[in-house]
Amino acid sequence: MSSLASCIFCKIIKGEIPCFKLIETETVLAFMDIGPIAKGHCLVIPKYHAAKLADLPEDQMGDILPALTKIAKASGYEDYNILQNNGRPAHQEVDHVHFHYIPKPAGAGDKAGLVVGWPIQGLSKEDIQKAYDELKGKL
Ligand code: AMP
Ligand code: ZN
């Protein structure tokens, strides 16, 4: 896990590393992804350094969804994914919270944009009830 000092996204926020800046607010920065999986792939990040979403204070979240929505409207793509990865097994490479805006170009199939695996577990209603009870009890 990278610390604030070595974090590549914190360096972008501080202007120490260049980026293709799209939107900046008091709490949020949006810029083009440097390794896009589709044309127009970009990132929205909080300026606050937190590795995972659950580490991010609620008062730092307010501008994220509006920025993503603004980008989605401006990009003009009919289809797109918003992706937010947490942890290496969940495909997180940069340990600073970030939201991907990933266009899914028409007809791209598996060739561009997000390609998703969806391993349905076939859990029973009882299993779902158990998971519900556990989670609901902690909320
Ligand atoms: P993730 O796998 O969710 O952690 O995604 C990290 C994303 O950050 C990848 O899509 C990278 O291409 C992107 N990325 C890494 N370094 C930079 C950078 N300096 N500028 C823009 N995007 C970056
Ligand atoms: Zn950071």
Side-chain angles (χ1 to χ4, degrees):
M1 184 184 296
S2 66
S3 68
L4 199 153
S6 62
C7 173
I8 191 159
F9 286 176
C10 281
K11 286 181 178 167
I12 288 175
I13 291 162
K14 284 186 263 174
E16 294 171 7
I17 291 177
C19 73
F20 294 98
K21 192 187 288 185
L22 292 164
I23 295 173
E24 180 163 19
T25 75
E26 210 179 301
T27 57
V28 149
L29 190 67
F31 52 92
M32 302 306 289
D33 192 297
I34 208 71
I37 60 171
K39 190 179 156 208
H41 179 177
C42 55
L43 301 170
V44 174
I45 69 172
K47 289 184 174 174
Y48 183 100
H49 177 88
K52 293 181 178 176
L53 187 62
D55 304 324
L56 187 64
E58 280 187 26
D59 66 359
Q60 301 297 312
M61 296 176 176
D63 289 350
I64 293 174
L65 208 49
L68 286 163
T69 306
K70 221 172 183 177
I71 289 167
K73 283 179 182 163
S75 81
Y77 282 94
E78 183 82 12
D79 306 307
Y80 49 87
N81 293 92
I82 303 299
L83 176 69
Q84 203 273 313
N85 300 324
N86 296 275
R88 290 290 171 277
H91 210 285
Q92 183 179 18
E93 297 297 329
V94 177
D95 292 325
H96 181 128
V97 171
H98 52 281
F99 292 73
H100 296 259
Y101 167 79
I102 309 172
K104 191 71 183 178
D110 288 355
K111 299 280 186 271
L114 188 64
V115 179
V116 183
W118 202 264
I120 292 174
Q121 300 292 294
L123 295 185
S124 66
K125 275 266 164 56
E126 289 72 29
D127 291 333
I128 295 168
Q129 177 76 51
K130 216 172 147 211
Y132 168 80
D133 290 341
E134 275 176 30
L135 182 56
K136 189 79 166 68
K138 290 179 192 160
L139 287 173

Short mmCIF file of all heavy atoms in Angstrom, two decimals, residues 50-87:
data_model
loop_
_atom_site.label_atom_id
_atom_site.label_comp_id
_atom_site.label_asym_id
_atom_site.label_seq_id
_atom_site.Cartn_x
_atom_site.Cartn_y
_atom_site.Cartn_z
N ALA A 50 -6.86 8.27 0.35
CA ALA A 50 -7.39 7.09 1.02
C ALA A 50 -7.16 5.93 0.07
O ALA A 50 -7.33 6.08 -1.15
CB ALA A 50 -8.87 7.26 1.33
N ALA A 51 -6.73 4.80 0.59
CA ALA A 51 -6.41 3.66 -0.28
C ALA A 51 -7.69 3.04 -0.84
O ALA A 51 -7.79 2.77 -2.03
CB ALA A 51 -5.59 2.63 0.48
N LYS A 52 -8.65 2.81 0.05
CA LYS A 52 -9.89 2.14 -0.37
C LYS A 52 -11.10 3.02 -0.04
O LYS A 52 -11.04 3.88 0.84
CB LYS A 52 -10.02 0.79 0.32
CG LYS A 52 -8.97 -0.22 -0.12
CD LYS A 52 -9.17 -1.56 0.57
CE LYS A 52 -8.14 -2.57 0.08
NZ LYS A 52 -8.24 -3.85 0.80
N LEU A 53 -12.18 2.73 -0.71
CA LEU A 53 -13.39 3.54 -0.55
C LEU A 53 -13.81 3.67 0.91
O LEU A 53 -14.19 4.75 1.37
CB LEU A 53 -14.53 2.94 -1.37
CG LEU A 53 -15.81 3.76 -1.44
CD1 LEU A 53 -15.57 5.12 -2.09
CD2 LEU A 53 -16.90 3.00 -2.19
N ALA A 54 -13.72 2.57 1.65
CA ALA A 54 -14.17 2.59 3.05
C ALA A 54 -13.27 3.46 3.93
O ALA A 54 -13.63 3.78 5.07
CB ALA A 54 -14.23 1.16 3.60
N ASP A 55 -12.08 3.85 3.41
CA ASP A 55 -11.17 4.72 4.18
C ASP A 55 -11.45 6.20 3.91
O ASP A 55 -10.84 7.07 4.55
CB ASP A 55 -9.71 4.45 3.78
CG ASP A 55 -9.31 3.00 3.95
OD1 ASP A 55 -9.79 2.37 4.92
OD2 ASP A 55 -8.55 2.49 3.11
N LEU A 56 -12.31 6.47 2.96
CA LEU A 56 -12.55 7.86 2.55
C LEU A 56 -13.63 8.51 3.42
O LEU A 56 -14.74 8.00 3.50
CB LEU A 56 -12.99 7.89 1.07
CG LEU A 56 -13.13 9.25 0.41
CD1 LEU A 56 -11.79 9.99 0.35
CD2 LEU A 56 -13.71 9.11 -0.99
N PRO A 57 -13.31 9.63 4.08
CA PRO A 57 -14.32 10.31 4.89
C PRO A 57 -15.51 10.77 4.03
O PRO A 57 -15.31 11.19 2.88
CB PRO A 57 -13.58 11.53 5.47
CG PRO A 57 -12.13 11.20 5.34
CD PRO A 57 -12.00 10.32 4.14
N GLU A 58 -16.69 10.68 4.60
CA GLU A 58 -17.90 11.02 3.83
C GLU A 58 -17.88 12.45 3.31
O GLU A 58 -18.40 12.73 2.23
CB GLU A 58 -19.15 10.77 4.67
CG GLU A 58 -19.54 9.31 4.69
CD GLU A 58 -20.87 9.05 5.37
OE1 GLU A 58 -21.72 9.97 5.39
OE2 GLU A 58 -21.03 7.93 5.89
N ASP A 59 -17.25 13.36 4.06
CA ASP A 59 -17.25 14.77 3.62
C ASP A 59 -16.31 15.01 2.42
O ASP A 59 -16.22 16.13 1.93
CB ASP A 59 -16.95 15.72 4.78
CG ASP A 59 -15.54 15.57 5.33
OD1 ASP A 59 -14.78 14.71 4.83
OD2 ASP A 59 -15.19 16.31 6.27
N GLN A 60 -15.62 13.96 1.99
CA GLN A 60 -14.74 14.08 0.82
C GLN A 60 -15.35 13.45 -0.44
O GLN A 60 -14.73 13.37 -1.48
CB GLN A 60 -13.38 13.40 1.10
CG GLN A 60 -12.64 13.97 2.30
CD GLN A 60 -12.27 15.42 2.11
OE1 GLN A 60 -11.73 15.80 1.07
NE2 GLN A 60 -12.58 16.26 3.10
N MET A 61 -16.61 12.97 -0.31
CA MET A 61 -17.22 12.19 -1.40
C MET A 61 -18.16 12.99 -2.29
O MET A 61 -18.52 12.54 -3.38
CB MET A 61 -18.04 11.03 -0.81
CG MET A 61 -17.22 10.02 -0.06
SD MET A 61 -18.32 8.77 0.67
CE MET A 61 -17.10 7.65 1.37
N GLY A 62 -18.57 14.15 -1.80
CA GLY A 62 -19.72 14.86 -2.39
C GLY A 62 -19.60 15.20 -3.86
O GLY A 62 -20.59 15.22 -4.58
N ASP A 63 -18.37 15.47 -4.34
CA ASP A 63 -18.21 15.92 -5.73
C ASP A 63 -17.97 14.76 -6.70
O ASP A 63 -17.90 14.98 -7.92
CB ASP A 63 -17.03 16.89 -5.83
CG ASP A 63 -17.33 18.24 -5.18
OD1 ASP A 63 -18.51 18.49 -4.83
OD2 ASP A 63 -16.40 19.05 -5.04
N ILE A 64 -17.82 13.55 -6.19
CA ILE A 64 -17.40 12.43 -7.06
C ILE A 64 -18.48 12.07 -8.08
O ILE A 64 -18.23 12.05 -9.29
CB ILE A 64 -17.00 11.20 -6.21
CG1 ILE A 64 -15.73 11.50 -5.42
CG2 ILE A 64 -16.79 9.98 -7.10
CD1 ILE A 64 -15.31 10.42 -4.43
N LEU A 65 -19.68 11.79 -7.59
CA LEU A 65 -20.75 11.37 -8.51
C LEU A 65 -21.13 12.48 -9.50
O LEU A 65 -21.30 12.20 -10.70
CB LEU A 65 -21.96 10.89 -7.71
CG LEU A 65 -22.86 9.86 -8.38
CD1 LEU A 65 -22.05 8.70 -8.97
CD2 LEU A 65 -23.89 9.32 -7.39
N PRO A 66 -21.23 13.75 -9.06
CA PRO A 66 -21.50 14.81 -10.03
C PRO A 66 -20.42 14.90 -11.12
O PRO A 66 -20.75 15.14 -12.29
CB PRO A 66 -21.54 16.08 -9.17
CG PRO A 66 -21.98 15.60 -7.83
CD PRO A 66 -21.35 14.24 -7.67
N ALA A 67 -19.16 14.71 -10.75
CA ALA A 67 -18.08 14.77 -11.75
C ALA A 67 -18.22 13.62 -12.75
O ALA A 67 -18.09 13.82 -13.96
CB ALA A 67 -16.72 14.72 -11.06
N LEU A 68 -18.50 12.43 -12.25
CA LEU A 68 -18.68 11.27 -13.14
C LEU A 68 -19.86 11.49 -14.09
O LEU A 68 -19.80 11.18 -15.28
CB LEU A 68 -18.89 10.00 -12.32
CG LEU A 68 -17.64 9.44 -11.62
CD1 LEU A 68 -18.03 8.47 -10.51
CD2 LEU A 68 -16.71 8.77 -12.62
N THR A 69 -20.93 12.03 -13.55
CA THR A 69 -22.13 12.27 -14.35
C THR A 69 -21.86 13.31 -15.43
O THR A 69 -22.28 13.16 -16.58
CB THR A 69 -23.29 12.72 -13.44
OG1 THR A 69 -23.44 11.76 -12.40
CG2 THR A 69 -24.59 12.85 -14.20
N LYS A 70 -21.13 14.37 -15.04
CA LYS A 70 -20.76 15.42 -15.99
C LYS A 70 -19.96 14.83 -17.16
O LYS A 70 -20.21 15.13 -18.33
CB LYS A 70 -19.90 16.46 -15.26
CG LYS A 70 -20.19 17.89 -15.59
CD LYS A 70 -19.41 18.78 -14.63
CE LYS A 70 -19.74 20.22 -14.89
NZ LYS A 70 -19.06 21.10 -13.94
N ILE A 71 -19.00 14.00 -16.82
CA ILE A 71 -18.15 13.36 -17.84
C ILE A 71 -18.98 12.44 -18.72
O ILE A 71 -18.85 12.43 -19.95
CB ILE A 71 -16.98 12.60 -17.16
CG1 ILE A 71 -15.98 13.60 -16.58
CG2 ILE A 71 -16.30 11.66 -18.15
CD1 ILE A 71 -14.97 13.00 -15.63
N ALA A 72 -19.86 11.65 -18.09
CA ALA A 72 -20.71 10.73 -18.86
C ALA A 72 -21.56 11.49 -19.87
O ALA A 72 -21.71 11.08 -21.02
CB ALA A 72 -21.58 9.91 -17.92
N LYS A 73 -22.10 12.63 -19.44
CA LYS A 73 -22.93 13.44 -20.34
C LYS A 73 -22.09 14.04 -21.46
O LYS A 73 -22.50 14.05 -22.62
CB LYS A 73 -23.61 14.58 -19.56
CG LYS A 73 -24.80 14.11 -18.73
CD LYS A 73 -25.40 15.30 -17.98
CE LYS A 73 -26.57 14.85 -17.12
NZ LYS A 73 -26.90 15.86 -16.10
N ALA A 74 -20.89 14.54 -21.11
CA ALA A 74 -20.05 15.22 -22.09
C ALA A 74 -19.46 14.25 -23.11
O ALA A 74 -19.26 14.62 -24.27
CB ALA A 74 -18.93 15.98 -21.38
N SER A 75 -19.18 13.04 -22.67
CA SER A 75 -18.46 12.11 -23.56
C SER A 75 -19.32 11.67 -24.73
O SER A 75 -18.80 11.31 -25.79
CB SER A 75 -18.00 10.88 -22.78
OG SER A 75 -19.06 9.97 -22.65
N GLY A 76 -20.62 11.65 -24.52
CA GLY A 76 -21.52 11.33 -25.62
C GLY A 76 -21.68 9.85 -25.90
O GLY A 76 -22.40 9.48 -26.83
N TYR A 77 -21.02 9.00 -25.15
CA TYR A 77 -21.20 7.56 -25.36
C TYR A 77 -22.55 7.12 -24.79
O TYR A 77 -22.94 7.53 -23.70
CB TYR A 77 -20.07 6.76 -24.69
CG TYR A 77 -18.80 6.76 -25.47
CD1 TYR A 77 -17.79 7.69 -25.19
CD2 TYR A 77 -18.59 5.84 -26.50
CE1 TYR A 77 -16.60 7.69 -25.91
CE2 TYR A 77 -17.40 5.84 -27.22
CZ TYR A 77 -16.42 6.76 -26.92
OH TYR A 77 -15.25 6.77 -27.63
N GLU A 78 -23.20 6.26 -25.55
CA GLU A 78 -24.48 5.70 -25.10
C GLU A 78 -24.26 4.73 -23.93
O GLU A 78 -25.02 4.68 -22.98
CB GLU A 78 -25.11 4.95 -26.29
CG GLU A 78 -26.48 4.37 -26.04
CD GLU A 78 -27.57 5.41 -26.22
OE1 GLU A 78 -27.28 6.49 -26.74
OE2 GLU A 78 -28.70 5.12 -25.79
N ASP A 79 -23.17 3.98 -24.03
CA ASP A 79 -22.92 2.90 -23.07
C ASP A 79 -21.57 3.08 -22.38
O ASP A 79 -20.58 3.43 -23.03
CB ASP A 79 -22.95 1.55 -23.78
CG ASP A 79 -24.24 1.36 -24.57
OD1 ASP A 79 -25.32 1.53 -23.98
OD2 ASP A 79 -24.15 1.09 -25.79
N TYR A 80 -21.55 2.82 -21.10
CA TYR A 80 -20.31 3.03 -20.34
C TYR A 80 -20.42 2.32 -19.00
O TYR A 80 -21.52 1.97 -18.54
CB TYR A 80 -20.03 4.53 -20.13
CG TYR A 80 -21.23 5.30 -19.60
CD1 TYR A 80 -21.48 5.41 -18.24
CD2 TYR A 80 -22.11 5.90 -20.48
CE1 TYR A 80 -22.58 6.11 -17.76
CE2 TYR A 80 -23.22 6.61 -20.02
CZ TYR A 80 -23.44 6.71 -18.66
OH TYR A 80 -24.53 7.39 -18.19
N ASN A 81 -19.24 2.12 -18.36
CA ASN A 81 -19.20 1.56 -17.01
C ASN A 81 -18.51 2.54 -16.08
O ASN A 81 -17.56 3.23 -16.47
CB ASN A 81 -18.40 0.26 -16.98
CG ASN A 81 -19.07 -0.86 -17.74
OD1 ASN A 81 -18.80 -1.06 -18.91
ND2 ASN A 81 -19.95 -1.59 -17.09
N ILE A 82 -18.97 2.58 -14.84
CA ILE A 82 -18.26 3.25 -13.75
C ILE A 82 -17.69 2.12 -12.90
O ILE A 82 -18.43 1.23 -12.47
CB ILE A 82 -19.21 4.10 -12.88
CG1 ILE A 82 -19.96 5.13 -13.73
CG2 ILE A 82 -18.45 4.77 -11.73
CD1 ILE A 82 -19.08 6.13 -14.45
N LEU A 83 -16.37 2.15 -12.71
CA LEU A 83 -15.71 1.05 -12.01
C LEU A 83 -14.86 1.61 -10.87
O LEU A 83 -14.18 2.61 -11.03
CB LEU A 83 -14.81 0.30 -13.01
CG LEU A 83 -13.95 -0.83 -12.44
CD1 LEU A 83 -14.84 -2.00 -12.01
CD2 LEU A 83 -12.93 -1.30 -13.48
N GLN A 84 -14.91 0.93 -9.74
CA GLN A 84 -14.11 1.37 -8.59
C GLN A 84 -13.55 0.13 -7.91
O GLN A 84 -14.29 -0.63 -7.28
CB GLN A 84 -15.00 2.20 -7.64
CG GLN A 84 -14.24 3.16 -6.74
CD GLN A 84 -13.77 2.50 -5.47
OE1 GLN A 84 -14.55 1.81 -4.81
NE2 GLN A 84 -12.53 2.68 -5.11
N ASN A 85 -12.25 -0.09 -8.04
CA ASN A 85 -11.61 -1.31 -7.54
C ASN A 85 -10.99 -1.10 -6.16
O ASN A 85 -10.40 -0.05 -5.91
CB ASN A 85 -10.52 -1.76 -8.52
CG ASN A 85 -11.06 -2.05 -9.91
OD1 ASN A 85 -12.15 -2.57 -10.04
ND2 ASN A 85 -10.29 -1.72 -10.94
N ASN A 86 -11.08 -2.11 -5.32
CA ASN A 86 -10.51 -2.02 -3.97
C ASN A 86 -9.74 -3.30 -3.65
O ASN A 86 -10.35 -4.36 -3.45
CB ASN A 86 -11.63 -1.84 -2.93
CG ASN A 86 -12.35 -0.52 -3.11
OD1 ASN A 86 -11.94 0.52 -2.61
ND2 ASN A 86 -13.44 -0.54 -3.87
N GLY A 87 -8.40 -3.19 -3.60
CA GLY A 87 -7.56 -4.33 -3.26
C GLY A 87 -7.04 -5.05 -4.49
O GLY A 87 -7.70 -5.08 -5.53
#
